[in-house]
Amino acid sequence: MADTHDLPDDARFETRAIHAGQGPDPHNGAGMTPVYLTSTYAQDAPAVPRQGYEYSRTTNPTRTALEENLASLEGGAWGLCFASGLASTNALMDRMNPGDHVVAGNDLYGGTYRIFTKVFERFGVEYTFVDTSDPAKVREAMRPNTRYVYVETPSNPLLRLTDIAAMAELAHAGGAQLVVDNTFATPHLQRPLEHGADIVLHSLSKYLGGHSDLIGGALVGRDEATREELAFFQNAVGGCLAPMDAFLVLRGTKTLGVRMDRHCENAAAVAEYLSNHDAVERVIYPGLPDHPQLMIAQRQMAKPGGMLSFELNGGVEAANAFASATRVFTLAESLGGVESLVEVPPSMTHASIPPEVRRAAGLADGLVRLSVGIEHVDDLVADVERALSIAVGSQAQRAGAAS
Ligand SMILES: *Cc1c(COP(=O)(O)O)cnc(C)c1O
């Protein structure tokens, strides 16, 4: 099975991205990790597997290669890969018992909010949603039965930042574990375990896969007892990542560094353009000087990332007009692929959050979210410029008709 490359201990991120967990196949020297399309493995004697592999729900060599690769990139001791980001969240919640409590961010990915409130609340798990960018609110929400503090930073779609080190201190003081959803930043820009987090969660469907061609999820951590519990649920529940998808993510992580650098450069240019435009009410990007948590960005992120949100003066109608008018940005949910995407979160990715909960969390109905891709930056800025003029024009027309 795949032979882990004998990397120097001090190999850097970009080098580990290409080699960690992978190496020439020991049987035939295949340079790239094979896709082990097998459900079962021959045993030498009953219950004596040859190399530890028995059945692919439990373990599969292509998945193992990816799990080792992700562990290395996040600075963890282990990784576990799942069929989706939400299947990873599910595995975390499978460890809870009725009456256990979770303190979670109040602008999480919509599907995360949904699995908490529509699935696990029914089994007696309790949730308190707070603005985790304010540590005092998290401290207040902690209870003796709190088992996780669960945060997303940058958050989705408001790009609020949460101080990971402060959260780790609060969680640990209360006997809880800190889970950080690192999907938006990726380990190239932010490594939560280095700031005290216990478990990092990823939707592999986004930047790590990087090409919008798969669905997957991962958990990475350091503590062995935690790994054993989560691996038990990975196998017992069965939401594991398929080998072909593991292979595709391994292909994606090889270029993670160069892709993220370009995503960041392009997003900074688009953010800058938007923040100088008259029709734009506000731009939210952790690289802009007016971002309220610039200090946290500088402390825990290498760069501000490829995601940004903005509000237009014309509210939801202008937002819809903008999102329908772009030609390079595709109107679609999801993020993190090489291609640029635009969406209106309240009616798309975040529609599963009730309107009053959304608004209370500061998510305006007319918010537009961009996943800035790695196309030529001039084409992206020109596309935004054109779509803004169309959105503003349709606003003016509507105002004219009304008066
Ligand atoms: C997409 C996403 C998820 C869920 O991942 P899936 O792979 O779609 O199940 C979780 N968290 C964040 C921040 C996401 O963007």
Side-chain angles (χ1 to χ4, degrees):
M1 313 274 154
D3 200 19
T4 296
H5 221 91
D6 185 23
L7 284 179
D9 287 342
D10 60 353
R12 292 168 180 80
F13 186 90
E14 291 79 354
T15 308
R16 286 181 284 116
I18 292 170
H19 298 291
Q22 303 162 83
D25 189 281
H27 303 300
N28 51 32
M32 287 299 127
T33 308
V35 186
Y36 285 92
L37 291 174
T38 186
S39 57
T40 191
Y41 305 82
Q43 305 197 6
D44 286 333
V48 184
R50 280 191 196 165
Q51 297 198 26
Y53 293 98
E54 293 171 14
Y55 188 59
S56 277
R57 172 164 28 75
T58 321
T59 43
N60 173 284
T62 317
R63 200 173 88 211
T64 304
L66 176 61
E67 290 174 341
E68 288 178 3
N69 183 253
L70 295 176
S72 171
L73 296 186
E74 283 288 2
W78 50 263
L80 291 167
C81 290
F82 296 84
S84 66
L86 282 175
S88 321
T89 308
N90 184 88
L92 287 173
M93 292 304 146
D94 288 336
R95 296 170 75 206
M96 301 292 99
N97 292 311
D100 283 345
H101 176 245
V102 176
V103 176
N106 69 351
D107 63 338
L108 295 176
Y109 175 72
T112 306
Y113 179 82
R114 182 176 56 198
I115 194 173
F116 288 173
T117 56
K118 293 280 184 359
V119 182
F120 284 95
E121 230 165 42
R122 287 175 30 244
F123 298 123
V125 182
E126 295 162 13
Y127 296 90
T128 306
F129 297 94
V130 296
D131 177 358
T132 54
S133 69
D134 181 356
K137 297 227 167 78
V138 174
R139 189 178 300 116
E140 233 167 74
M142 295 291 292
R143 300 190 206 150
N145 55 339
T146 304
R147 294 200 51 203
Y148 289 132
V149 173
Y150 191 110
V151 306
E152 236 177 88
T153 179
S155 73
N156 178 12
L158 293 174
L159 303 162
R160 273 198 201 119
L161 304 186
T162 292
D163 183 337
I164 298 170
M167 288 303 112
E169 217 169 277
L170 282 171
H172 297 160
Q177 288 187 315
L178 173 63
V179 178
V180 177
D181 182 333
N182 202 29
T183 299
F184 269 40
T186 82
H188 184 59
L189 304 182
Q190 171 175 281
R191 288 182 290 281
L193 299 178
E194 291 175 1
H195 302 280
D198 299 284
I199 302 169
V200 171
L201 181 142
H202 278 286
S203 168
L204 302 174
S205 327
K206 315 295 167 53
Y207 287 110
L208 292 182
H211 297 75
S212 305
D213 52 8
L214 64 99
I215 297 289
L219 300 174
V220 180
R222 285 205 177 112
D223 173 55
E224 179 54 25
T226 302
R227 188 200 73 81
E228 272 171 37
E229 280 185 43
L230 290 167
F232 170 81
F233 288 111
Q234 182 190 42
N235 183 54
V237 176
C240 55
L241 187 69
M244 188 65 208
D245 293 328
F247 171 84
L248 287 171
V249 180
L250 280 169
R251 172 185 270 214
T253 55
K254 288 186 175 67
T255 56
L256 182 65
V258 283
R259 282 189 288 111
M260 290 315 294
D261 287 344
R262 182 60 63 84
H263 280 295
C264 292
E265 254 174 58
N266 286 0
V270 172
E272 167 89 24
Y273 175 80
L274 283 168
S275 52
N276 291 318
H277 198 289
D278 288 345
V280 177
E281 174 86 22
R282 65 167 180 154
V283 184
I284 315 171
Y285 181 63
L288 288 175
D290 67 348
H291 191 283
Q293 291 126 357
L294 204 60
M295 295 291 288
I296 297 177
Q298 286 162 356
R299 197 157 58 229
Q300 66 192 30
M301 299 181 78
K303 291 180 184 177
M307 299 298 297
L308 64 91
S309 294
F310 64 97
E311 269 176 63
L312 287 170
N313 291 334
V316 64
E317 277 154 15
N320 288 342
F322 175 88
S324 313
T326 53
R327 285 160 60 187
V328 180
F329 284 81
T330 303
L331 174 58
E333 298 194 358
S334 197
L335 62 112
V338 290
E339 78 289 6
S340 293
L341 301 177
V342 56
E343 70 128 352
V344 183
S347 51
M348 296 173 67
T349 47
H350 290 64
S352 52
I353 304 176
E356 61 284 1
V357 176
R358 256 189 347 241
R359 289 181 198 128
L363 210 167
D365 290 345
L367 197 76
V368 177
R369 188 187 81 180
L370 299 181
S371 172
V372 181
I374 62 171
E375 299 95 337
H376 197 290
V377 66
D378 294 348
D379 291 329
L380 298 179
V381 171
D383 197 41
V384 166
E385 184 176 10
R386 189 168 47 223
L388 277 176
S389 72
I390 293 171
V392 171
S394 68
Q395 272 306 115
Q397 233 172 20
R398 215 172 290 114
S403 63

